[in-house]
Amino acid sequence: MSQLNHTHQVEPLGSVGLARQLAAGAASANTALTAGVFRISVRATGADIRFSIGQGTQTASATSHFIAQGERLDFAVPATPNIAIIRDASTDGVLEVSELV
């Protein structure tokens, strides 16, 4: 029996690139990520955060995707990625973003 080569069956996240700390306040804030980044890892600190990821300028709202304080999520992103964030309640927070190349 041959050994399985897991690199053909599991998609690697990539190597760590640029780190960003995005402030989540009362208004939606959009950030253009580095061109050529196709994956990101995000972690909410200080508060629950709402976010929107897409191509071109994004707007986050109370109905956007949710990440809880202390939670980490990994995403594939489009070729020209933007991320918008807003706090979920009345406490400001930070979204830690690791771009993966």
Side-chain angles (χ1 to χ4, degrees):
M1 179 186 335
S2 66
Q3 286 187 321
L4 293 176
N5 184 343
H6 294 290
T7 59
H8 293 286
Q9 297 174 351
V10 177
E11 186 175 325
L13 285 175
S15 301
V16 176
L18 186 64
R20 298 177 184 266
Q21 295 78 37
L22 308 180
S28 178
N30 181 77
T31 300
L33 302 177
T34 304
V37 166
F38 294 102
R39 292 174 183 77
I40 60 172
S41 182
V42 298
R43 183 171 186 270
T45 60
D48 297 340
I49 295 173
R50 296 283 179 166
F51 65 94
S52 177
I53 299 170
Q55 222 168 355
T57 301
Q58 300 293 300
T59 302
S61 70
T63 58
S64 294
H65 299 288
F66 176 84
I67 183 169
Q69 178 180 342
E71 184 176 15
R72 176 174 296 278
L73 299 172
D74 299 324
F75 295 99
V77 295
T80 55
N82 277 244
I83 185 168
I85 61 172
I86 192 169
R87 67 185 187 201
D88 183 56
S90 60
T91 303
D92 291 351
V94 173
L95 189 68
E96 300 282 347
V97 179
S98 295
E99 295 182 355
L100 304 171
V101 293

